[in-house]
Amino acid sequence: MAVAERFMAASFNRPGFEMVNHHVYMFAGDGDMMEGITYEAASLAGHLKLGKLICLYDDNKITIDGSVDLAYSENTAARFEAAGWHVQTVSGADTDLDAIEKAIQAARERTDAPSLVILKTTIGYGAPHKQNTSGCHGAPLGAEEVRGVKRALGFSEDQSFVVPEEVRKTFESLSQKAAKGEADWKTLFAGYAGSFA
């Protein structure tokens, strides 16, 4: 997808009409980093200097079979750096949203290399008995464990699904921003079509 973004930008962008200019984000976990194809793709992305590619890596050290240490001990950061990637690590990624945002912004500013943002997280964060275990990887937590998570994170145990007002307002704001972006895009596209169609 990052190769396609670069190709489309080279093919369609014209002075005054930057039609293609977006980042490609991907999300990967520990199991993904163990796959051979991951490094083949990472090598190509580094070689091509795909600076619009940003990978967020959920590094929680747990797979469905148990601890990552059972089958994997590579230094992922060093491997991606060797492949030509810009690599950052966010240590407290369970709760440090500001650090995550700063890392993503730094990745967006690097245009000469793809970026890997390693997010050090805890799988099942807040689950009293299953946190940091494979017991919460691809399996339901169960009613009692869910109540424990709600207690740990300050949610009501009596409600099955709650969207806090702060979250609702944030998404309403994002929806308005997206609507403006769509309107701006349509205006740009109409101008482009009139000039280059």
Side-chain angles (χ1 to χ4, degrees):
M1 292 175 74
V3 170
E5 188 279 338
R6 180 177 285 177
F7 173 78
M8 290 173 60
S11 300
F12 299 109
N13 287 352
R14 300 287 185 270
F17 293 95
E18 194 171 274
M19 302 298 293
V20 181
N21 181 21
H22 62 270
H23 285 82
V24 174
Y25 293 88
M26 62 173 284
F27 191 82
D30 293 305
D32 300 306
M33 293 301 171
M34 294 177 181
E35 296 288 344
I37 194 170
T38 300
Y39 288 113
E40 294 173 28
S43 176
L44 179 62
H47 175 74
L48 296 176
K49 301 184 185 320
L50 297 176
K52 297 277 186 86
L53 176 60
I54 299 172
C55 175
L56 303 171
Y57 166 31
D58 179 18
D59 183 13
N60 59 44
K61 301 292 186 219
I62 297 291
T63 70
I64 201 162
D65 297 319
S67 172
V68 166
D69 297 341
L70 294 171
Y72 186 76
S73 56
E74 294 177 19
N75 182 332
T76 304
R79 191 160 186 185
F80 273 75
E81 286 171 351
W85 285 58
H86 166 236
V87 177
Q88 303 172 81
T89 299
V90 177
S91 296
D94 289 326
T95 57
D96 195 346
L97 301 182
D98 289 336
I100 294 171
E101 186 174 352
K102 286 176 186 171
I104 292 171
Q105 187 56 42
R108 289 175 59 85
E109 291 170 5
R110 276 298 292 266
T111 58
D112 62 334
S115 290
L116 177 68
V117 180
I118 300 172
L119 303 173
K120 298 287 189 178
T121 63
T122 306
I123 193 168
Y125 179 76
H129 303 102
K130 293 187 178 182
Q131 173 176 296
N132 206 33
T133 72
S134 60
C136 58
H137 190 304
L141 288 176
E144 186 55 40
E145 197 75 1
V146 168
R147 280 191 286 279
V149 170
K150 288 180 177 183
R151 278 192 300 274
L153 301 182
F155 287 93
S156 168
E157 295 177 47
D158 301 327
Q159 296 175 293
S160 62
F161 186 80
V162 177
V163 178
E165 190 59 28
E166 180 183 358
V167 172
R168 189 181 312 279
K169 287 179 180 177
T170 297
F171 275 88
E172 285 173 4
S173 171
L174 290 173
S175 177
Q176 292 168 7
K177 182 179 177 183
K180 182 184 181 319
E182 180 183 12
D184 291 347
W185 165 255
K186 287 179 178 177
T187 300
L188 181 66
F189 186 81
Y192 183 92
S195 299
F196 299 103

